[in-house]
Amino acid sequence: RRPWPPPPPRSPQLTTVGIASRVADISPLLYLQSHSPPLLPTIRHHSFMMDRFVADLTRYSHQLKERRLTFGGVTLCYSSNIEHSNDNVLRCDRYLLVHWRNFAKALHSYDDDDHCNQISSGENDDRRKKEEGWWLSNIELTEQIIDLLEPILTARTNVRTLILDRNEFGRNGVLFLCILIETNPYLKRISFHNNPMEDFDDMIRFCEAVSNHPSLEHLTLEDVGLDGDDDKLAMILNASKNLECLGLDGNGIGSRRAAAMITQFSVNSNNTKIIYLRDNIFSDESAHLFASAIKNNAHLRVVDLSGNQFTQLGRMAIHNALFDISSLNAAMESNHTSVVYMDEPTLRDKLGVINCKGTPEENVHRKVFATLYATTNGGKLSKLLNAIPSGLMPDVLVYLQEYYLNDIPRGMRKH
């Protein structure tokens, strides 16, 4: 063992030394070769998270060997206290590779025939729900680890969720993902975060696998290196027509062509109910395109536009698509099914609560009453009521009275 504190520094840098650990067989411990107090918490945190990761991997292997685990997938996440840095990824070395091999060997030998029979016979539904997901976050997946995991995941058709986040596996990882999609017809959700798809041929194969998949519902591609490439975006949208949820956060999307393609996709894809477009670079010009698409869209439930470059003008265009108080007709012709999220403090509360509760019919009632309530003090009430045909006025008054007594909060009734 090396003494602590370490010997006099040669250079202010970090080095990794493998030593015995109480948590697992082998794990790396960082030593600082220069006395730098601000970095000591980072060193301790890294060592702690490393030991925790190895302990989790060892625990999985041990429980599989002892047949004490109804296998429900893997959740292995590494987190350092260095934000937005390559140091936030756990690098694979020969020590970690030993534990990965032990885990793969244990899972290969795991006899789950009885478990699969229970699933096929409909028994023990809670166990079936456990057969769900693999989540590997902030862990470098080298070619050796991919070679270990690929036969495991392609053989396990009970995998429903696959989340790969910041794995730094390059093109090998993209091809690995394509193989998993092609071989598992029961996948429901795929999340691919911070893993660039730079090769155009890989993108073509990935989109073909997604388009041909029989049961995929959720696809999240966050920061995958689109960088505003409209051709790649068009391929992804074309492959996602049958999905229920599509996420394209943090991909540098923002051109007018991209906004037009997403608008057309949201209108034509009746299956898609949720679209995430956070942290892109859409402007007010795109906001008007989104507003026109949202206004007459009856199947879209959630659109998240937080973190884009909208000004007040673009935000008001979205707001008017959801709730236009210029007239009763405009309020009734607004969108009553979609919830849109934006990050302007003065509008977030208003946008966040529009259409978020109740049925479309209840949303119409709220908007009509809110329109009348908002225009009472401004002297526009008579103008709104004059637009209503006289024959319908008794029905309107009865409706307002019923809504006033049954649905309006008591705090608003005094007005």
Side-chain angles (χ1 to χ4, degrees):
R1 295 175 180 267
R2 289 193 176 187
W4 187 265
R10 290 188 303 236
S11 60
Q13 60 183 1
L14 296 175
T15 59
T16 305
V17 180
I19 66 168
S21 170
R22 293 177 298 175
V23 181
D25 297 333
I26 301 175
S27 68
L29 179 66
L30 291 174
Y31 283 96
L32 184 65
Q33 289 190 342
S34 64
H35 298 284
S36 180
L39 288 179
L40 289 178
T42 299
I43 297 171
R44 297 189 186 102
H45 181 82
H46 176 88
S47 178
F48 170 77
M49 293 304 299
M50 168 69 79
D51 287 344
R52 181 176 177 179
F53 172 81
V54 174
D56 289 341
L57 200 57
T58 304
R59 175 173 52 84
Y60 278 123
S61 303
H62 179 70
Q63 291 180 345
L64 286 169
K65 290 177 181 178
E66 298 294 328
R67 302 296 193 272
R68 293 191 291 108
L69 175 68
T70 301
F71 189 68
V74 170
T75 299
L76 293 173
C77 303
Y78 172 81
S79 176
S80 76
N81 58 350
I82 305 177
E83 296 294 335
H84 308 294
S85 170
N86 292 333
D87 294 329
N88 199 37
V89 177
L90 180 61
R91 305 293 174 181
C92 178
D93 55 19
R94 60 190 180 92
Y95 303 108
L96 283 180
L97 192 57
V98 170
H99 294 283
W100 277 111
R101 286 172 177 160
N102 291 337
F103 167 73
K105 182 178 179 180
L107 190 53
H108 272 303
S109 62
Y110 178 65
D111 185 9
D112 58 351
D113 289 340
D114 292 338
H115 174 58
C116 293
N117 292 333
Q118 289 175 347
I119 293 176
S120 60
S121 63
E123 298 178 1
N124 202 338
D125 191 60
D126 290 337
R127 281 191 169 187
R128 181 180 61 82
K129 291 180 180 179
K130 276 189 170 183
E131 282 275 335
E132 285 288 333
W134 284 62
W135 182 10
L136 305 176
S137 177
N138 293 331
I139 302 167
E140 182 187 19
L141 299 181
T142 62
E143 186 175 354
Q144 295 95 326
I145 297 178
I146 290 176
D147 290 340
L148 292 172
L149 295 180
E150 183 176 321
I152 295 174
L153 287 171
T154 53
R156 300 192 64 82
T157 57
N158 289 325
V159 176
R160 300 293 187 270
T161 300
L162 180 63
I163 304 176
L164 299 175
D165 179 11
R166 200 185 296 273
N167 306 114
E168 297 201 358
F169 42 31
R171 189 178 181 188
N172 291 331
V174 178
L175 297 177
F176 168 60
L177 177 62
C178 293
I179 293 173
L180 297 183
I181 298 174
E182 293 166 351
T183 56
N184 189 340
Y186 303 106
L187 272 173
K188 296 292 185 181
R189 178 188 175 191
I190 296 175
S191 294
F192 204 59
H193 300 173
N194 304 292
N195 290 308
M197 295 185 181
E198 299 176 350
D199 190 88
F200 201 81
D201 293 334
D202 293 345
M203 179 64 73
I204 292 175
R205 180 174 178 180
F206 171 79
C207 292
E208 289 178 351
V210 170
S211 179
N212 297 329
H213 200 278
S215 62
L216 190 62
E217 296 177 353
H218 294 247
L219 175 63
T220 302
L221 300 175
E222 179 180 344
D223 193 11
V224 295
L226 296 184
D227 295 328
D229 191 328
D230 293 343
D231 293 331
K232 288 184 179 179
L233 176 62
M235 295 169 57
I236 293 173
L237 294 176
N238 187 56
S240 306
K241 293 179 180 179
N242 296 323
L243 300 181
E244 180 180 333
C245 174
L246 176 62
L248 295 171
D249 300 337
N251 281 295
I253 309 170
S255 68
R256 178 179 176 83
R257 182 189 172 198
M261 288 191 295
I262 294 173
T263 298
Q264 192 69 22
F265 168 79
S266 65
V267 172
N268 295 335
S269 180
N270 295 328
N271 295 322
T272 304
K273 296 179 174 59
I274 303 172
I275 300 178
Y276 294 112
L277 297 170
R278 294 171 293 204
D279 300 323
N280 284 293
I281 53 175
F282 290 111
S283 62
D284 290 344
E285 186 178 20
S286 302
H288 286 85
L289 293 174
F290 292 146
S292 63
I294 291 172
K295 185 172 183 179
N296 300 315
N297 197 313
H299 59 266
L300 205 57
R301 294 293 178 264
V302 176
V303 180
D304 196 337
L305 297 171
S306 305
N308 284 278
Q309 299 178 358
F310 302 123
T311 66
Q312 192 72 3
L313 184 64
R315 297 184 188 99
M316 286 306 302
I318 300 291
H319 183 276
N320 290 335
L322 299 174
F323 185 14
D324 189 347
I325 64 172
S326 61
S327 67
L328 288 177
N329 288 334
M332 296 184 67
E333 292 173 358
S334 301
N335 180 290
H336 307 300
T337 59
S338 301
V339 178
V340 179
Y341 295 102
M342 302 180 79
D343 51 5
E344 170 61 31
T346 60
L347 279 178
R348 185 174 181 85
D349 293 338
K350 297 179 182 179
L351 288 176
V353 300
I354 296 176
N355 300 332
C356 69
K357 295 181 180 180
T359 64
E361 291 76 14
E362 292 172 341
N363 292 331
V364 172
H365 296 167
R366 291 189 183 95
K367 291 176 184 178
V368 169
F369 192 90
T371 301
L372 296 174
Y373 175 78
T375 55
T376 299
N377 297 330
K380 299 179 181 179
L381 180 60
S382 60
K383 182 178 179 181
L384 291 176
L385 295 179
N386 286 336
I388 300 176
S390 58
L392 295 178
M393 187 61 70
D395 295 333
V396 172
L397 295 177
V398 170
Y399 153 72
L400 290 176
Q401 184 179 13
E402 292 179 353
Y403 186 71
Y404 175 84
L405 294 176
N406 298 324
D407 298 326
I408 295 299
R410 292 183 177 273
M412 294 177 61
R413 293 182 185 179
K414 62 182 180 180
H415 298 288

